[in-house]
């Protein structure tokens, strides 16, 4: 007959198969047998606490899929910034519809993968909690095993919450809503202040994307120097891609800001997107926002003047404006890196 809870609390030795009423000889025999061959139940508990050296093939393949999805997501999100373009003939804000479809498709596919990964992490977390509960309530678990399991559970819990928060922030449809909805509502009141807030949100949105990519990369546990070097170079390429895309987007924004400022106090002068049937004052905007040549006294385009004058903001060809913007981002990041290296060498010398 198994011991009751009261008997276990009053006599904990019975949990390990030792009876107080047995003779000394039986106790010595059981102690000898326990030291020579530990109980199978205790061995199974200790083995469950040991981390597995090799992951299952399916789990590792899924982790590789998540990393690839992170790479696609980081590369696809800047594509939304290339969707707006300037229609110079009608002086309105146009949209690259083909690029919009491609960007939305890529973002939707990666979001599906991340949602599945969130569900997988939640199920893994529930399994870990059930394991902790069963081993903590088991009579065969030693205090040392329970302490090790508690530490492992605390570490897993912290990783779980951090990973879920990063995934949820990255899955939020910020580029879709910001660029495709808010940016094209030029006739709304307070448009320019909204655009400033939009820029900050778009910049901050890339932080969880990079963190998610780095987190997924670490889970693969790749220690080769070549792989780590390739990953760091990839981050440099991604940074150039993101900087170039923002530079193009800010150039579009700068020219439309000039239009809005010129039409601010003019009756009948309306700036809108190209799908709107409202006519615009093309000749007036050409005089108020001259580009070739520019007039800084009327409006200063600043660092975005070269892009506007080159005509890439009016370009329907995505490869042309993409490679031009990517080259600009790569060039300026290289200058920043060289400047930082010069400062380091100056401090050392």
């Amino acid at each position: 007959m198994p011991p009751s809870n009261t008997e276990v609390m009053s006599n904990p030795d019975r949990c390990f198969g030792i009876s107080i009423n047995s003779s000394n000889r039986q106790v010595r025999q059981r102690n000898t047998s326990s030291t020579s061959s530990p109980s199978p139940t205790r061995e199974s508990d200790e083995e469950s606490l040991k981390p597995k050296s090799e992951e299952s093939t399916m789990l590792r393949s899924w982790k590789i899929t998540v990393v690839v999805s992170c790479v696609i997501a980081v590369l696809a999100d800047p594509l939304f910034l290339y969707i707006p373009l300037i229609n110079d003939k009608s002086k309105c804000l146009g949209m690259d519809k083909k690029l919009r479809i491609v960007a939305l498709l890529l973002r939707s596919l990666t979001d599906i993968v991340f949602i599945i990964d969130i569900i997988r992490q939640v199920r893994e977390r529930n399994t870990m909690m059930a394991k902790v509960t069963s081993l903590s309530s088991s009579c065969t678990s030693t205090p040392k095993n329970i302490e090790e399991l508690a530490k492992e559970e605390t570490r897993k819990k912290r990783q779980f919450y951090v990973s879920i928060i990063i995934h949820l922030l990255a899955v939020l449809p910020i580029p879709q809503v910001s660029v495709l909805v808010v940016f094209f509502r030029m006739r709304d009141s307070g448009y320019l202040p909204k655009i400033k807030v939009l820029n900050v949100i778009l910049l901050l949105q890339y932080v969880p994307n990079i963190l998610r990519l780095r987190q997924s990369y670490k889970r693969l546990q790749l220690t080769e120097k070549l792989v780590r070097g390739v990953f760091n170079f990839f981050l440099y390429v991604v940074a150039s891609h993101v900087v170039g895309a923002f530079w193009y987007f800010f150039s579009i924004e700068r020219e439309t800001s000039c239009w809005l400022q010129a039409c601010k106090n003019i009756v009948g002068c309306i700036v809108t997107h190209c799908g709107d049937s409202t006519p615009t004052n093309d000749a007036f905007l050409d005089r108020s926002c001259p580009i070739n040549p520019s007039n800084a006294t009327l409006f200063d385009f600043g660092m975005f003047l070269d892009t506007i004058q080159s005509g890439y903001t009016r370009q329907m060809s995505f490869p042309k404006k993409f490679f031009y913007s990517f080259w600009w981002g790569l060039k300026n990041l290289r200058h920043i890196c060289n400047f930082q290296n010069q400062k380091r060498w100056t401090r050392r010398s």
Side-chain angles (χ1 to χ4, degrees):
M1 179 176 180
S4 62
N5 294 334
T6 306
E7 292 174 342
V8 171
M9 295 297 295
S10 61
N11 190 5
D13 291 338
R14 295 193 63 180
C15 291
F16 297 96
I18 302 175
S19 175
I20 298 297
N21 297 327
S22 58
S23 61
N24 294 333
R25 183 178 180 181
Q26 291 175 338
V27 172
R28 284 196 299 269
Q29 289 178 353
R30 291 183 179 180
N31 289 337
T32 305
S33 62
S34 63
T35 55
S36 61
S37 58
S39 62
T41 309
R42 189 178 300 177
E43 284 184 352
S44 62
D45 290 342
E46 291 177 355
E47 288 296 327
S48 64
L49 293 173
K50 296 179 181 179
K52 295 181 180 180
S53 58
E54 296 182 359
E55 296 174 330
S56 64
T57 305
M58 184 177 297
L59 181 58
R60 186 168 180 83
S61 300
W62 174 252
K63 288 183 178 181
I64 294 175
T65 303
V66 174
V67 171
V68 173
S69 299
C70 290
V71 172
I72 296 175
V74 170
L75 295 176
D77 278 354
L79 297 181
F80 288 95
L81 303 178
Y82 289 103
I83 293 176
L85 54 89
I86 297 295
N87 189 325
D88 195 39
K89 183 180 294 185
S90 302
K91 293 297 178 185
C92 59
L93 185 62
M95 179 186 297
D96 190 341
K97 296 182 179 180
K98 292 182 179 179
L99 182 59
R100 179 186 62 181
I101 295 174
V102 173
L104 287 174
L105 182 61
L106 291 175
R107 179 59 193 260
S108 300
L109 291 176
T110 55
D111 284 347
I112 292 173
V113 174
F114 298 141
I115 291 173
I116 295 175
D117 191 57
I118 291 175
I119 297 174
R120 182 193 65 83
Q121 291 186 49
V122 172
R123 293 185 61 185
E124 190 178 274
R125 166 70 180 168
N126 293 335
T127 304
M128 185 67 183
M129 289 298 297
K131 182 180 177 182
V132 171
T133 304
S134 62
L135 290 181
S136 299
S137 60
S138 175
C139 288
T140 58
S141 296
T142 63
K144 183 179 179 180
N145 288 348
I146 296 176
E147 183 180 356
E148 291 178 358
L149 188 60
K151 291 181 180 179
E152 179 70 12
E153 195 275 335
T154 302
R155 186 180 66 85
K156 291 285 186 180
K157 182 179 180 181
R158 183 171 60 253
Q159 291 181 350
F160 170 76
Y161 285 118
V162 171
S163 178
I164 291 298
I165 291 174
I166 292 175
H167 273 69
L168 291 177
L169 290 176
V171 169
L172 291 177
I174 293 177
Q176 298 95 310
V177 176
S178 301
V179 178
L180 300 181
V181 179
V182 179
F183 187 68
F184 282 88
R185 292 186 175 179
M186 304 179 66
R187 300 181 64 175
D188 292 354
S189 59
Y191 175 77
L192 291 178
K194 290 180 181 178
I195 290 301
K196 293 180 180 179
V197 177
L198 170 68
N199 294 337
V200 175
I201 294 175
L202 285 173
L203 287 170
L204 293 178
Q205 193 262 344
Y206 283 93
V207 175
N209 277 333
I210 297 297
L211 291 177
R212 180 177 58 184
L213 176 61
R214 191 170 187 85
Q215 187 182 66
S216 301
Y217 165 77
K218 285 184 176 180
R219 287 178 183 173
L220 291 178
Q221 298 178 353
L222 299 175
T223 57
E224 292 82 355
K225 292 184 178 180
L226 179 60
V227 177
R228 294 173 62 184
V230 171
F231 179 75
N232 292 329
F233 176 74
F234 172 75
L235 291 180
Y236 181 74
V237 173
V238 169
S240 303
H241 175 40
V242 173
V243 170
F246 271 102
W247 182 55
Y248 173 86
F249 184 73
F250 290 157
S251 301
I252 298 280
E253 183 182 308
R254 192 62 180 163
E255 187 166 1
T256 55
S257 298
C258 180
W259 294 353
L260 291 170
Q261 182 176 326
C263 292
K264 188 175 182 180
N265 299 319
I266 305 298
V267 179
C269 183
I270 300 175
V271 180
T272 182
H273 59 88
C274 295
D276 199 330
S277 58
T278 304
T280 57
N281 196 336
D282 306 342
F284 172 74
L285 293 179
D286 283 333
R287 294 193 304 269
S288 302
C289 302
I291 297 175
N292 286 316
S294 63
N295 189 347
T297 57
L298 294 176
F299 191 85
D300 187 10
F301 292 98
M303 61 183 293
F304 308 107
L305 180 61
D306 292 338
T307 312
I308 297 173
Q309 288 180 339
S310 64
Y312 284 100
T313 56
R314 293 154 173 77
Q315 187 66 250
M316 282 293 296
S317 175
F318 170 72
K320 290 183 179 180
K321 58 185 179 183
F322 168 76
F323 285 112
Y324 180 81
S325 302
F326 178 77
W327 167 81
W328 189 92
L330 192 66
K331 178 183 68 173
N332 284 272
L333 281 181
R334 184 185 62 188
H335 291 334
I336 293 174
C337 292
N338 292 336
F339 178 73
Q340 292 294 333
N341 292 331
Q342 289 178 0
K343 289 180 65 177
R344 292 177 182 176
W345 282 108
T346 303
R347 291 177 181 176
R348 291 179 180 178
S349 60

